[in-house]
Amino acid sequence: MKILLTGGTGYIGSHTAVELLENGYEVEILDNLFNSKKTVLDDIEKITGIKPKFHEVDLLDMPAVEKVFEEGNFDLVMHFAGLKAVGESVEKPLKYYENNVGGTINLLKCMEKSRVKRIVFSSSATVYGNQGVAELTEEMQTGVGITNPYGETKHIIEELLKDVSESDSEFEATILRYFNPVGAHSSGFLGEDPNDIPNNLMPIIMKVSIGEIKELSVYGDDYDTIDGTGVRDYIHVVDLAKGHVAALKKMGPGVSIYNLGTGKGTSVFEMISAFEKASGKKLPYKVVERRPGDLAEMYANPNKANQELDWHTELSIEDAMNDTINYLRHIEKK
Ligand code: NAD
Ligand code: UD1
């Protein structure tokens, strides 16, 4: 089976490429390298022995995307490509709608033209908005109370896929709602290496630990949680990548939606302690005001993916911290 990974040189796409190649799938990657580097292809080769064919193409460049499909003969698309900086999406909403929604429309048009009928889409727990409860299940209503344009684009694309599915009974879409991906490949070759200033917790912890950021700002310690700090469901990126292989094996007509998370919440203070334990170093931090739009606590109910996909997370926060530190050593040496 031949699979096109849009955004495949990015953080989650590259780890998924490795799992797909190790399971015998043929992989090609399309990416505009806006938030990733071409050297990721060499790193994938170091791990798997295979360097995927690469198309340096922007999804907004319709003729170029069409060409990739005309030559590709793909059986399925995994669609990771997108912009994901929540803060920037508030400042530049048009850029986010154009890139994420516009890029997906171009992709779906090219898939239709080339009769490629299967897609796995990278969605986010952000589509749940504020449900008033911490544990999130797939059948909850989505799209209400989303606090930023990035999250809106994920919701809109989910709806888009449902509408395309309504119009074509052969269309197969699997929507994967990721919780909070962390960690790196155990080889140390792949990890999260954003080109821009990160705004998620783990990449900020990484930058603080190597001295690129002075200290971590903890956004509030007065939430109604175990220690007052925000609680999230941090999933090791390799477990997440494996979830894609599991999803692929169970695809069928229509739209299927799965949470990919561990089912367990971890607080910011617990994340700081886990990083300090793994690195043997103190992580400087200060408690500041709550971040607007943040929820106190959210975590996945992963039962549907556990049962229907026969997929379970295997790696812990400790594994994620050790792998992140190993990856940091690798990039420091480069
Ligand atoms: P990433 O930025 O590392 O990877 C995304 C890749 O898409 C990048 O390599 C970027 O260059 C590419 N890209 C962006 N716009 C493109 C375009 N128009 N044409 C071609 N390539 C383009 O991000 P990631 O963390 O690997 O996330 C992958 C997907 O998962 C994204 O859609 C993201 O929104 C979603 N997601 C991520 C998280 C997270 O916390 N990392 C959580 C939930 C959902
Ligand atoms: C954020 C986004 C969400 C997006 C997700 C994954 C917001 C409001 N939400 O969610 O839309 O889908 O990232 O990309 O931006 N924290 C700190 N200090 C920091 C950074 C984070 O204390 O410098 C805390 C947060 O308050 C939160 C936890 O760490 O409690 C995790 O934050 P983050 O990694 O940004 O993820 P989410 O808040 O889940």
Side-chain angles (χ1 to χ4, degrees), residues 84 86-87 124-127 146-148 150-151 154 178-181 198-204 216-220 223 229-234 266 268 288 290-296 298:
K84 61 165 187 177
V86 171
S124 165
T126 195
V127 299
I146 298 176
T147 52
N148 56 77
Y150 162 75
K154 291 292 169 192
Y178 308 158
F179 280 69
N180 294 62
N199 47 22
N200 291 120
L201 179 64
M202 200 57 212
I204 293 175
L216 170 71
S217 296
V218 175
Y219 296 141
Y223 285 106
T229 63
V231 169
R232 296 290 182 275
D233 186 339
Y234 297 95
T266 305
V268 178
V288 299
R290 292 180 179 190
R291 180 172 64 179
D294 263 356
L295 298 176
M298 58 195 281

Side-chain angles (χ1 to χ4, degrees), residues 4-9 13 28-31 59 77-81 107:
L4 179 70
L5 270 56
T6 74
T9 41
E28 289 191 16
I29 289 176
L30 177 158
D31 202 297
L59 282 178
V77 174
M78 288 198 178
H79 181 31
F80 300 94
L107 176 68

Side-chain angles (χ1 to χ4, degrees), residues 198-269:
N199 47 22
N200 291 120
L201 179 64
M202 200 57 212
I204 293 175
I205 289 182
M206 289 163 75
K207 296 231 178 224
V208 172
S209 82
I210 56 173
E212 273 186 35
I213 296 177
K214 199 170 116 258
E215 60 189 355
L216 170 71
S217 296
V218 175
Y219 296 141
D221 65 352
D222 56 353
Y223 285 106
D224 183 15
T225 59
I226 174 177
D227 57 21
T229 63
V231 169
R232 296 290 182 275
D233 186 339
Y234 297 95
I235 173 171
H236 196 295
V237 66
V238 171
D239 277 331
L240 185 67
K242 287 182 176 165
H244 292 70
V245 180
L248 174 63
K249 289 181 181 156
K250 294 284 159 72
M251 281 191 80
V255 178
S256 308
I257 303 178
Y258 297 99
N259 283 341
L260 293 185
T262 67
K264 187 182 167 298
T266 305
S267 75
V268 178
F269 281 159

Side-chain angles (χ1 to χ4, degrees), residues 2-291:
K2 192 170 174 187
I3 305 173
L4 179 70
L5 270 56
T6 74
T9 41
Y11 175 47
I12 303 167
S14 59
H15 286 82
T16 305
V18 166
E19 295 305 318
L20 289 169
L21 290 166
E22 287 181 341
N23 280 277
Y25 294 97
E26 196 181 337
V27 168
E28 289 191 16
I29 289 176
L30 177 158
D31 202 297
N32 64 0
L33 300 179
F34 178 81
N35 198 34
S36 56
K37 299 184 179 78
K38 212 174 171 178
T39 50
V40 164
L41 299 164
D42 303 319
D43 297 324
I44 293 172
E45 187 180 16
K46 281 178 205 148
I47 300 168
T48 64
I50 301 165
K51 189 169 177 173
K53 185 168 174 184
F54 179 62
H55 308 272
E56 188 175 338
V57 164
D58 192 316
L59 282 178
L60 297 180
D61 181 354
M62 186 70 165
V65 185
E66 266 175 337
K67 193 158 170 279
V68 172
F69 273 88
E70 277 158 19
E71 292 165 5
N73 209 9
F74 304 112
D75 298 293
L76 185 143
V77 174
M78 288 198 178
H79 181 31
F80 300 94
L83 299 174
K84 61 165 187 177
V86 171
E88 190 194 42
S89 81
V90 176
E91 284 155 30
K92 300 176 183 165
L94 295 178
K95 180 176 168 185
Y96 274 68
Y97 283 103
E98 181 180 44
N99 190 77
N100 293 4
V101 181
T104 304
I105 291 173
N106 282 355
L107 176 68
L108 289 168
K109 279 183 177 170
C110 292
M111 287 174 64
E112 184 179 46
K113 205 171 160 201
S114 301
R115 299 193 54 77
V116 180
K117 302 259 184 187
R118 295 198 278 176
I119 185 166
V120 176
F121 172 61
S122 301
S123 191
S124 165
T126 195
V127 299
Y128 289 111
N130 187 355
Q131 299 283 341
V133 287
E135 182 175 336
L136 302 169
T137 47
E138 290 86 347
E139 69 280 1
M140 285 173 166
Q141 193 195 351
T142 54
V144 181
I146 298 176
T147 52
N148 56 77
Y150 162 75
E152 293 288 356
T153 68
K154 291 292 169 192
H155 175 63
I156 290 170
I157 296 166
E158 287 200 3
E159 297 306 306
L160 192 60
L161 292 170
K162 289 177 197 166
D163 288 341
V164 173
S165 163
E166 284 296 321
S167 74
D168 179 355
S169 61
E170 290 174 14
F171 189 72
E172 301 180 10
T174 295
I175 292 171
L176 301 177
R177 293 182 181 151
Y178 308 158
F179 280 69
N180 294 62
V182 290
H185 195 267
S186 59
S187 64
F189 290 125
L190 293 176
E192 188 162 20
D193 186 15
N195 289 344
D196 54 356
I197 301 157
N199 47 22
N200 291 120
L201 179 64
M202 200 57 212
I204 293 175
I205 289 182
M206 289 163 75
K207 296 231 178 224
V208 172
S209 82
I210 56 173
E212 273 186 35
I213 296 177
K214 199 170 116 258
E215 60 189 355
L216 170 71
S217 296
V218 175
Y219 296 141
D221 65 352
D222 56 353
Y223 285 106
D224 183 15
T225 59
I226 174 177
D227 57 21
T229 63
V231 169
R232 296 290 182 275
D233 186 339
Y234 297 95
I235 173 171
H236 196 295
V237 66
V238 171
D239 277 331
L240 185 67
K242 287 182 176 165
H244 292 70
V245 180
L248 174 63
K249 289 181 181 156
K250 294 284 159 72
M251 281 191 80
V255 178
S256 308
I257 303 178
Y258 297 99
N259 283 341
L260 293 185
T262 67
K264 187 182 167 298
T266 305
S267 75
V268 178
F269 281 159
E270 287 172 333
M271 290 293 279
I272 295 173
S273 301
F275 190 86
E276 288 181 339
K277 198 167 164 225
S279 66
K281 284 196 296 191
K282 279 273 162 213
L283 194 85
Y285 72 84
K286 65 166 188 289
V287 177
V288 299
E289 289 291 290
R290 292 180 179 190
R291 180 172 64 179

